[in-house]
């Protein structure tokens, strides 16, 4: 498979991990991993279930403490910084976030401003501007006075994304941001991520399951397998027939999207033992 260096990208970036091992009390999930989040780019982390994608993202956000190695933020160990300082520099949208019952959308999004406030400060015009902008960007402005639990899954996810945007950080970590969304809303959310990167210079690292969306919206794709980085590079470098078979157990064609020129994965069948033992018919597109 043709890929770039699967470890460090060379010059240290603002956020990265160095020789990190981390788990949940048993065997390590991520093992001796070194990785820099490329500054000013959109990075997607992909891989099969259980490979350590979300664990890596949670470690970058200081939600998990490595048993070995360290997370680095702006040249310092992230553990040496205060929680407020970290929250002013990076934000994380986790999987399946929860909120108190009865919380209104506007109050949820307003919580994104907490790292920028002091206990004695009042809600400012700047806070109001940022929250309103986050609501508008995510198409949730008309939902601002509704309780979160009354929203559909897609509406709720967009409200959480609005809260993340209201935190107004240069580094944004998104753990499966398209969860619960239909395809049109998935594209809408990732278009928003692309705009934040292109127009406002946000550095984004996100976990995605959909390979074609990762190919379409990423500058850099990081492929994880069994707790380590198996490959890292541009979508054109990463999405090959060989890598899909090796990492995902997937027999697939890789064709060129006629509009974007980016690689597009066309699954044929699984190559995992015991599955899809029937004869495979390929329709290769040159």
């Amino acid at each position: 498979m043709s890929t770039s260096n699967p470890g460090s990208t060379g010059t240290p970036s603002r956020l990265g991990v160095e020789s990190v091992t981390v788990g949940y009390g048993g065997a390590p999930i991520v093992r001796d991993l070194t990785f820099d989040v490329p500054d000013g780019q959109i990075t997607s982390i992909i891989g099969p279930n259980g490979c350590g994608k979300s664990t890596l993202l949670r470690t970058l956000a200081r939600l998990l403490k490595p048993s070995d190695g360290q997370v680095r933020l702006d040249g310092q160990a992230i553990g040496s910084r205060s929680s407020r300082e970290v929250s002013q520099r990076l934000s994380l949208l986790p999987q399946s976030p929860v909120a108190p019952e009865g919380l209104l959308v506007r109050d949820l999004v307003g919580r994104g401003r907490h790292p920028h406030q002091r206990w004695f400060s009042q809600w400012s015009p700047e806070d109001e501007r940022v929250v309103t902008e986050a609501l508008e960007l995510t198409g949730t402005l008309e939902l601002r006075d509704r309780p979160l639990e009354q929203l559909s899954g897609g509406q709720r996810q967009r409200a959480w994304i609005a809260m993340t945007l209201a935190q107004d950080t240069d580094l944004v970590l998104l753990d499966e941001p398209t969860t619960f969304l239909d395809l049109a809303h998935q594209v809408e959310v990732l278009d928003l991520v692309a705009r934040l990167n292109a127009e406002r210079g946000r550095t984004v690292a996100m976990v995605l399951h959909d390979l074609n969306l990762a190919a379409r919206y990423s500058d850099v794709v990081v492929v994880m397998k069994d707790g380590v980085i198996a490959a890292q590079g541009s979508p054109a470098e990463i999405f090959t027939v060989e890598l899909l078979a090796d990492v995902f157990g997937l027999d697939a064609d890789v064709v060129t999207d006629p509009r974007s020129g980016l690689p597009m994965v066309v699954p044929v069948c699984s190559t995992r033992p015991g599955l899809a033992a029937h004869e495979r018919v390929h329709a290769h597109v040159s």
Side-chain angles (χ1 to χ4, degrees):
M1 69 187 71
S2 175
T3 60
S4 301
N5 186 348
S8 174
T9 56
T11 303
S13 63
R14 292 189 59 199
L15 179 65
V17 294
E18 299 171 0
S19 303
V20 157
T21 297
V22 60
Y24 297 92
I29 305 298
V30 170
R31 298 179 286 108
D32 194 25
L33 189 149
T34 295
F35 167 61
D36 284 327
V37 178
D39 291 335
Q41 295 187 305
I42 297 176
T43 300
S44 289
I45 305 170
I46 63 173
N49 289 340
C51 69
K53 304 184 297 294
S54 293
T55 298
L56 173 58
L57 209 68
R58 288 167 59 83
T59 303
L60 285 165
R62 207 174 70 167
L63 296 183
L64 292 175
K65 184 177 181 180
S67 57
D68 287 300
Q70 71 169 2
V71 181
R72 173 183 31 77
L73 175 62
D74 288 332
Q76 297 182 21
I78 199 169
S80 68
R81 298 185 179 275
S82 69
S83 296
R84 178 181 292 274
E85 188 177 11
V86 172
S87 296
Q88 289 174 342
R89 296 174 185 231
L90 70 84
S91 54
L92 167 71
L93 176 65
Q95 289 185 44
S96 304
V98 295
E101 185 176 353
L103 188 70
L104 301 181
V105 169
R106 56 182 165 82
D107 294 327
L108 172 71
V109 179
R111 290 186 172 196
R113 301 304 300 157
H114 287 179
H116 302 278
Q117 298 172 327
R118 300 292 182 180
W119 67 269
F120 53 84
S121 65
Q122 296 182 347
W123 189 257
S124 69
E126 175 65 8
D127 293 327
E128 186 66 30
R129 183 194 67 78
V130 172
V131 166
T132 299
E133 184 176 66
L135 290 165
E136 290 175 339
L137 284 170
T138 54
T140 54
L141 185 61
E142 71 280 6
L143 305 173
R144 63 185 303 164
D145 294 318
R146 292 181 59 182
L148 199 63
E149 66 267 18
Q150 292 183 8
L151 304 184
S152 69
Q155 290 172 329
R156 192 178 302 120
Q157 185 72 350
R158 284 188 284 143
W160 281 105
I161 293 172
M163 187 201 73
T164 304
L165 297 182
Q167 197 171 328
D168 198 24
T169 61
D170 292 331
L171 298 165
V172 180
L173 309 180
L174 304 171
D175 196 353
E176 299 184 34
T178 56
T179 300
F180 304 124
L181 301 180
D182 59 31
L183 183 57
H185 282 119
Q186 290 179 42
V187 171
E188 181 182 0
V189 166
L190 293 177
D191 280 345
L192 169 60
V193 171
R195 283 173 52 203
L196 290 171
N197 170 257
E199 298 174 8
R200 306 192 180 193
R202 300 292 193 264
T203 295
V204 179
M206 58 184 175
V207 170
L208 289 179
H209 274 293
D210 189 300
L211 302 182
N212 286 321
L213 290 178
R216 176 174 175 176
Y217 287 97
S218 307
D219 299 302
V220 177
V221 178
V222 175
V223 185
M224 293 191 66
K225 180 182 180 183
D226 298 329
V228 299
I229 293 179
Q232 177 178 329
S234 69
E237 292 175 306
I238 290 300
F239 290 105
T240 66
V241 170
E242 295 79 10
L243 182 138
L244 294 169
D246 177 59
V247 174
F248 294 93
L250 182 65
D251 185 3
D253 292 326
V254 179
V255 301
T256 300
D257 185 318
R259 291 197 177 189
S260 67
L262 294 168
M264 186 167 59
V265 177
V266 182
V268 176
C269 64
S270 173
T271 61
R272 291 174 181 170
L275 297 176
H278 59 281
E279 182 178 358
R280 304 180 185 114
V281 179
H282 297 265
H284 291 289
V285 180
S286 58

